[in-house]
């Protein structure tokens, strides 16, 4: 059992903005950030783009060779550090920089830099390689925050940042670091990437004027997800370290579970997901009935939602009806490598405020996916004491994070 890893800071640059209260309230009220993009593409596409002003964190000179994915990461990590109570906004100036670790998830790196290189008409910018390498976000955050301990990047598709948070928690628990900045970043909304996802037939279809409600997790008429972009980070430390410096704790990261399906590159597997769910519960020392909310992976794909429901049913058994479920991807899109981190931030806020974001746009629930879905915006959960968030990736890696009230 994890006795004392706590979340003391949250930061996000999301399709709903970078203010935590605005982000959560928008989701809680069911406001979608998904809108049409790239009208020049052969097929209609929609995505959730993050409103972001890079000049709040960079000078024009500093932006040279820094892809949007790294810009978002620097901003979100800075917000998490400030939220954790470091007024200087540089963690390495407040504590021993060698005792800080940075754990970052990034699925595909600097897509804008790579796209520009392909479309450059023969002229490739000289900083293209350091701009699009997947560990660039971690490197830029490390330089900004003066992190001199372990700085690691996890590229595990849709589970990347959830894996990063789990690895950070393990490092804090072992005593390898005193502070861990953990999360992820992704900025993939460029034409080439959108076309690639369309070719896989995983993106939601929609009628003109209906892009905002295109993503319908667990609904009978679901047709896939919409891409999202953004970055999110949490500050993790031991409860004792947080107490000594007088920090507020949003939640305990009480358990985490990692597993691999080892069956198929893209088709999910319920037994593999169930292993990760059980591992998180076991580490936290909890029973399924103790957990009141699940921020589901919920990609609104035909197979994915049904398999996730099967995994939850396998582990929760007769207690499944006590678990309230929603997928916030219906509102902020699928951030791929950053999805787990943003959804962890949302889950921590849900637990902290005892308020649940709805499973939006799913009025026609799939009878083959029976779950206790959060139906209405503005739902309160006055007795909520534990919550999980699921991240299940191409490649078969599964990550589950379990938070409890501190």
């Amino acid at each position: 059992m994890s006795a004392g890893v706590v979340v003391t800071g949250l930061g996000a640059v999301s399709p709903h903005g970078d203010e935590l209260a605005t982000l959560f309230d928008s989701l809680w009220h069911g406001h979608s950030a998904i809108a049409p993009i790239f009208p020049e593409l052969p097929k209609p596409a929609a995505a959730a783009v993050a409103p972001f002003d890079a000049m709040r964190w960079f000078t024009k000179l500093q932006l040279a060779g820094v892809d949007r994915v790294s810009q978002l990461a620097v901003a979100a990590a800075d917000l998490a550090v400030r939220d954790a109570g470091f007024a200087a906004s540089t963690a390495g100036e407040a504590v021993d920089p060698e005792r800080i670790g940075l754990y970052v998830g990034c699925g595909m790196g600097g897509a804008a830099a790579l796209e520009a290189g392909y479309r450059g008409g023969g002229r490739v910018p000289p900083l293209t390689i350091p701009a699009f390498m997947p560990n660039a976000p971690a490197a830029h955050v490390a330089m900004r925050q003066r992190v001199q301990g372990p700085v690691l990047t996890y590229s595990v598709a849709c589970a990347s940042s959830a894996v990063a948070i789990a690895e950070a928690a393990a490092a804090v628990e072992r005593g390898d670091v005193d502070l861990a900045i953990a999360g992820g970043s992704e900025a993939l909304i460029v034409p080439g990437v959108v076309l690639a996802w369309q070719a896989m037939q995983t993106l939601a279809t929609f009628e003109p004027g209906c892009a905002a409600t295109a993503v319908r997790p667990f609904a009978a008429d679901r047709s896939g997800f919409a891409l999202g972009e953004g970055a999110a980070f949490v500050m993790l430390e031991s409860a004792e370290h947080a107490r000594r410096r007088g920090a507020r704790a949003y939640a305990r990261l009480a358990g985490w579970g990692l597993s691999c399906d080892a069956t198929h590159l893209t088709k999910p597997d319920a037994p593999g997901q169930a292993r990760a769910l059980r591992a998180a519960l076991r580490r936290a020392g909890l029973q399924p009935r103790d957990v009141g909310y699940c921020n589901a992976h919920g990609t609104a794909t035909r197979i994915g939602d049904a398999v996730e429901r099967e995994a939850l049913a396998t582990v929760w058994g007769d207690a499944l009806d006590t678990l309230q479920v929603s997928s916030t991807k219906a509102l902020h899109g699928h951030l791929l490598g950053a999805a787990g981190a943003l959804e962890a931030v949302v889950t921590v806020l849900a637990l902290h405020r005892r308020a649940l974001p709805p499973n939006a746009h799913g009025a026609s629930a799939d009878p083959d996916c029976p779950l206790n879905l959060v139906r209405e915006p503005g739902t309160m959960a006055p007795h909520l004491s534990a919550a999980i968030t699921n991240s299940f990736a191409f490649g078969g890696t599964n990550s589950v994070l379990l938070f409890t009230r501190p």
Side-chain angles (χ1 to χ4, degrees):
M1 180 190 299
S2 171
V5 179
V6 294
V7 180
T8 56
L10 302 171
V13 178
S14 80
H16 291 91
D18 58 34
E19 293 285 342
L20 292 174
T22 300
L23 163 62
F24 189 82
D25 285 343
S26 297
L27 297 174
W28 190 49
H29 290 296
H31 296 160
S32 174
I34 298 169
I37 53 164
F38 306 137
E40 71 275 14
L41 295 183
K43 291 168 55 179
V49 179
F52 177 65
D53 179 9
M55 302 311 292
R56 286 176 57 191
W57 281 274
F58 296 86
T59 66
K60 187 174 181 180
L61 183 62
Q62 288 173 329
L63 281 172
V66 183
D67 189 271
R68 185 174 174 87
V69 71
S70 296
Q71 297 170 26
L72 296 171
V74 165
D78 183 64
L79 290 168
V81 169
R82 291 174 184 266
D83 190 54
F86 295 104
S89 80
T90 301
E93 293 178 0
V95 298
D96 181 355
E98 296 184 28
R99 296 290 301 166
I100 305 173
L102 177 61
Y103 305 80
V104 181
C106 185
M108 298 182 72
L114 196 58
E115 181 115 343
Y118 282 131
R119 295 176 179 269
R123 183 190 177 278
V124 178
L127 296 178
T128 296
I129 294 294
F132 84 74
M133 63 187 189
N135 66 315
H140 282 286
V141 173
M143 290 186 288
R144 185 63 64 99
Q145 297 296 336
R146 264 196 87 228
V147 176
Q148 296 179 350
V151 175
L152 302 173
T153 296
Y154 299 83
S155 188
V156 200
C158 309
S160 298
S161 53
V163 170
I165 292 171
E167 292 286 280
V172 170
E173 188 176 63
R174 290 192 304 265
D176 294 349
V177 296
D178 295 328
L179 291 174
I181 306 169
S185 185
E186 203 79 276
L188 298 177
I189 303 176
V190 297
V193 172
V194 173
L195 287 168
W197 281 104
Q198 285 183 333
M200 284 200 74
Q201 300 182 23
T202 56
L203 297 188
T205 58
F206 56 94
E207 297 298 323
C210 298
T213 58
V215 181
R216 299 181 290 275
F218 303 107
D221 60 349
R222 66 189 183 274
S223 62
F225 57 84
L227 293 173
E229 68 167 3
F233 283 84
V234 299
M235 180 73 81
L236 301 178
E237 52 194 296
S238 70
E240 174 60 22
H241 190 273
R243 185 193 63 77
R244 286 200 306 269
R245 69 179 190 88
R248 164 211 50 211
Y250 283 101
R252 280 179 64 222
L253 178 43
W256 52 91
L258 300 172
S259 72
C260 184
D261 297 342
T263 55
H264 195 277
L265 197 64
T266 59
K267 184 180 179 181
D269 177 66
Q273 294 178 7
R275 288 193 293 273
L277 289 161
R278 289 195 184 98
L281 288 164
R282 186 167 56 249
R283 182 179 287 274
L286 297 179
Q287 296 300 313
R289 190 174 291 275
D290 299 324
V291 179
Y293 172 63
C294 170
N295 192 335
H297 187 58
T299 57
T301 55
R302 299 303 306 177
I303 295 176
D305 285 8
V307 169
E308 184 170 12
R309 189 271 170 190
E310 182 184 347
L312 289 169
T314 298
V315 176
W316 261 254
D318 293 340
L320 185 61
D321 285 344
T322 68
L323 181 69
Q324 293 184 272
V325 178
S326 66
S327 170
T328 52
K329 287 183 178 72
L331 303 170
H332 56 60
H334 191 348
L335 274 66
L336 303 181
L342 179 60
E343 289 159 28
V345 168
V346 172
T347 303
V348 168
L349 289 172
L351 187 62
H352 180 66
R353 294 175 50 162
R354 285 179 160 161
L356 304 181
N359 190 71
H361 318 141
S364 57
D366 187 347
D368 294 330
C369 289
L371 286 167
N372 182 9
L373 298 173
V374 182
R375 298 287 185 187
E376 299 298 327
T379 298
M380 298 300 297
H383 304 296
L384 184 66
S385 60
I388 61 168
T389 179
N390 295 339
S391 298
F392 305 138
F394 279 1
T397 293
N398 308 300
S399 180
V400 176
L401 304 175
L402 193 160
F403 299 96
T404 62
R405 288 178 62 87

